[in-house]
Amino acid sequence: MPDSVSAPFWDAATDGVLRVQRCTSCRTYWHPPREYCLQCESTHLETEPVSGRGVVYSFTRTESGARHPYFQKQTPYVVGLVELVEQSGLVLVTNFPGAQLEDLVIGDAVEVVFEPDENGAVMPQFRLVQVPNTHEGTTT
Amino acid sequence: MTTRHTAAVIGVGHSRVSRRADVPLGILAGDAIRAAVADADLDISAIDGIAGALGGAGIDAHLRDGREYVSTELLVRQLGLQTRWGTSNTHMVGNAFVDAVRAIEAGACDYALVVRAMHSPPGVYGQATTTQIPGPAQFLETYGLFTPALFAHSWHRYQQKYRSGTREQMATLVVQARENGLLNEDSYWARSGAATLTRDEYLNSRVVSTPLSIYDCDLPVQGAGAFVLARSTGRPAGKPVAYVHGVASPEPAVSVNGGLFLLEEQQEAARSVGERLWEDAHLSPADIDVASLYDGFSPMIVQWLEGLGFAALGEGFEFVQEGRTRRDGLLPLNTGGGNLGVGRMHGVPQLMDAIRQVTARAGEAQVPGAELALAVIGPSSVGAAIIFGSSPPE
């Protein structure tokens, strides 16, 4: 449920842009967004566009026991975490749409994509970056 | 410099345990307290301090004190206590226990109760009721990230990082937890006549969130546990006393990442608790005869083993094999069954196990000659630890 602190993140997603809250004073990123910066207590926080690039931090496949009717119907589904390249420990949740559990390796490069949720609201998601397979000598 | 501890546990009590709420929770808390006070050979009028914990109760406006949770204020009124000191915190019972140790040692009270009551709601624990998810959870639950998936991803990362931690390795701990729990009179599994769990049953059990299956998660139950603390001097000879040798309160720097329980953050928090614990107790892991490590979800056991220094990072799953954690092994582990063997009583099983071992009251689970026992409560980012001894600290 977007609120005054989280709305800029979701609004940007609707526009197809990944924006993350950042302190204008000490430049620390925060996610989830906060009322004030825990690093310097500044209340001047903006939601800045980021590269949308990151790496797989970890993941799981929920196969039963999801605590929401929508996700109960979605099982089995993958859910995991991506660490953005902008800052160590800056982690976002994602479902790695299109990826099977077996496709994912911690540390693999990912990039942001935008997908609708159950109600049609646009959510940032992440997919594996396709690395050209140079071993087979293919050219692009 | 730390000074030697002077607090001790002089009485323990446990209510009956049921799968679902059948009587108001406050009555079970009263039962546990009355049992603990009787065990200490006290009249309840002697109690002048009380510490409770409400963590995990998910308190909000529609929950009722005495039914879904029990505040210390309610218990003071219900039991007619004349208290000089009290605290109620939002962590688990380990934090309340450490607070009570400090209160006794500071002279804030003479006889302190520590109480923990756990509610088991109907239906699925913590069921989400709306798609309109407020607060930081909107960044987790809108993607389907709920407990226990929150505790599964760190195990997955551990597996890939250390090339260890298979379900076959975990089976050793989970099978042993049930086996030990069946020897424990407080255990829901024992009271309900459950059977042992085989390795195959564990390995073939329903997956919840990979690699966690249903038996890696503790079972929600309804019940209460209570402990009476006092200064250790002047106790009548022959009465069981568990002397406090060392304590460590929860890591103050809890994750600000929205409660994501990231592997490296949990590892660092456990290491920090261990550092403060061993310094406070003037002891090291090699001194511990019995360890009761928190196991609300099974991977937490290994996080604590490694964080506290019983095994190196990445080697905890190897450590627990070959009988090393059995009653006659190198490090008897969770001899009372832990949460997995008892039920979701948060820190009560760990405290009860360590206290019973050093007072030679663990029955069939007794480790002969157990002099020092460790109780650890909570996921490491909110974890507290207490070392108990069969004799006072030197």
Side-chain angles (χ1 to χ4, degrees):
Chain A
M1 178 163 53
D3 50 48
S4 62
V5 170
S6 69
F9 176 89
W10 297 117
D11 289 348
T14 303
D15 297 338
V17 181
L18 183 65
R19 299 171 81 104
V20 176
Q21 191 193 54
R22 191 175 196 187
C23 176
T24 59
S25 299
C26 74
R27 311 300 290 156
T28 304
Y29 287 100
W30 293 104
H31 187 82
R34 317 192 64 89
E35 301 287 342
Y36 64 92
C37 177
L38 287 188
Q39 191 69 33
C40 70
E41 295 190 4
S42 170
T43 55
H44 299 289
L45 297 153
E46 301 288 345
T47 309
E48 287 190 5
V50 291
S51 65
R53 290 182 289 112
V55 295
V56 176
Y57 178 84
S58 193
F59 51 89
T60 179
R61 183 174 62 210
T62 291
E63 300 187 4
S64 62
R67 294 182 178 182
H68 190 284
Y70 172 73
F71 287 103
Q72 285 161 13
K73 277 181 273 171
Q74 297 298 110
T75 52
Y77 65 90
V78 173
V79 60
L81 304 168
V82 163
E83 187 172 26
L84 297 184
V85 296
E86 274 76 9
Q87 180 177 297
S88 174
L90 182 63
V91 170
L92 271 65
V93 181
T94 183
N95 297 111
F96 300 107
Q100 301 302 308
L101 193 71
E102 297 72 23
D103 302 332
L104 296 167
V105 177
I106 286 164
D108 274 359
V110 292
E111 62 189 3
V112 72
V113 292
F114 296 91
E115 302 256 334
D117 75 355
E118 57 169 314
N119 302 314
V122 178
M123 294 170 64
Q125 293 280 11
F126 290 85
R127 70 176 174 209
L128 291 169
V129 174
Q130 299 302 315
V131 180
N133 189 339
T134 53
H135 297 292
E136 291 177 11
T138 54
T139 54
T140 52
Chain B
M1 275 298 289
T2 55
T3 55
R4 312 313 297 139
H5 284 285
T6 56
V9 176
I10 62 168
V12 299
H14 208 289
S15 76
R16 69 187 179 82
V17 174
S18 58
R19 178 73 177 89
R20 301 288 184 188
D22 48 8
V23 298
L25 189 58
I27 292 174
L28 297 180
D31 288 346
I33 289 169
R34 282 182 286 270
V37 170
D39 189 45
D41 275 340
L42 291 176
D43 186 90
I44 200 156
S45 62
I47 299 295
D48 60 353
I50 185 166
L54 303 173
I59 293 169
D60 61 36
H62 72 272
L63 298 185
R64 278 188 246 164
D65 197 358
R67 191 178 66 172
E68 286 92 357
Y69 68 99
V70 185
S71 71
T72 51
E73 296 82 0
L74 192 86
L75 290 168
V76 166
R77 173 68 183 79
Q78 177 181 334
L79 301 169
L81 304 178
Q82 299 290 317
T83 50
R84 295 193 287 143
W85 175 84
T87 184
S88 194
N89 68 60
T90 55
H91 282 280
M92 290 190 174
V93 69
N95 201 15
F97 193 97
V98 172
D99 288 350
V101 168
R102 306 277 192 219
I104 290 286
E105 293 178 350
C109 55
D110 293 323
Y111 296 100
L113 279 172
V114 177
V115 61
R116 179 54 161 161
M118 291 298 292
H119 174 61
S120 180
V124 178
Y125 208 83
Q127 179 100 40
T129 53
T130 172
T131 56
Q132 300 298 300
I133 300 155
Q138 70 188 283
F139 295 100
L140 282 61
E141 296 184 4
T142 46
Y143 293 88
L145 183 56
F146 309 96
T147 304
L150 262 177
F151 296 94
H153 69 69
S154 58
W155 184 7
H156 210 144
R157 185 168 171 88
Y158 183 104
Q159 289 179 324
Q160 288 205 354
K161 189 168 179 175
Y162 299 107
R163 302 285 164 208
S164 180
T166 63
R167 284 184 51 77
E168 285 74 14
Q169 289 177 306
M170 184 65 91
T172 304
L173 287 173
V174 176
V175 166
Q176 179 182 296
R178 175 70 66 81
E179 192 179 314
N180 288 346
L182 292 178
L183 299 178
N184 185 344
E185 64 190 30
D186 303 330
S187 163
Y188 168 76
W189 298 101
R191 289 182 183 210
S192 63
T196 54
L197 185 69
T198 67
R199 292 183 72 87
D200 281 347
E201 283 170 332
Y202 170 75
L203 292 171
N204 296 318
S205 59
R206 173 164 65 87
V207 173
V208 181
S209 290
T210 55
L212 279 176
S213 81
I214 192 78
Y215 292 124
D216 293 300
C217 314
D218 57 3
L219 183 77
V221 295
Q222 174 106 346
F227 308 87
V228 180
L229 276 67
R231 278 180 290 283
S232 59
T233 50
R235 294 301 301 162
K239 289 291 174 190
V241 176
Y243 297 87
V244 173
H245 280 239
V247 299
S249 290
E251 164 71 43
V254 174
S255 165
V256 293
N257 260 333
L260 287 171
F261 296 95
L262 305 182
L263 175 65
E264 285 81 359
E265 288 182 355
Q266 295 297 302
Q267 289 175 326
E268 170 54 21
R271 190 203 59 75
S272 165
V273 170
E275 186 176 82
R276 286 174 285 122
L277 176 71
W278 303 125
E279 184 188 353
D280 187 57
H282 300 208
L283 294 169
S284 72
D287 297 314
I288 298 300
D289 299 310
V290 182
S292 206
L293 307 182
Y294 194 73
D295 62 343
F297 296 101
S298 60
M300 293 173 182
I301 302 172
V302 177
Q303 280 185 5
W304 280 118
L305 270 176
E306 295 180 356
L308 296 176
F310 291 100
L313 281 180
E315 295 177 10
F317 282 90
E318 294 286 331
F319 176 86
V320 302
Q321 310 304 324
E322 295 167 23
R324 279 189 281 268
T325 60
R326 298 187 66 81
R327 255 196 314 288
D328 58 355
L330 178 69
L331 181 70
L333 183 75
N334 295 6
T335 51
N339 286 30
L340 294 175
V342 171
R344 183 177 293 160
M345 289 296 297
H346 275 182
V348 173
Q350 289 73 25
L351 288 167
M352 206 63 91
D353 187 28
I355 293 164
R356 283 178 174 151
Q357 284 289 354
V358 298
T359 52
R361 299 208 292 176
E364 279 185 78
Q366 185 66 45
V367 173
E371 292 179 0
L372 289 166
L374 166 64
V376 176
I377 295 130
S380 41
S381 52
V382 292
I386 302 106
I387 295 171
F388 297 98
S390 57
S391 55
E394 289 169 7

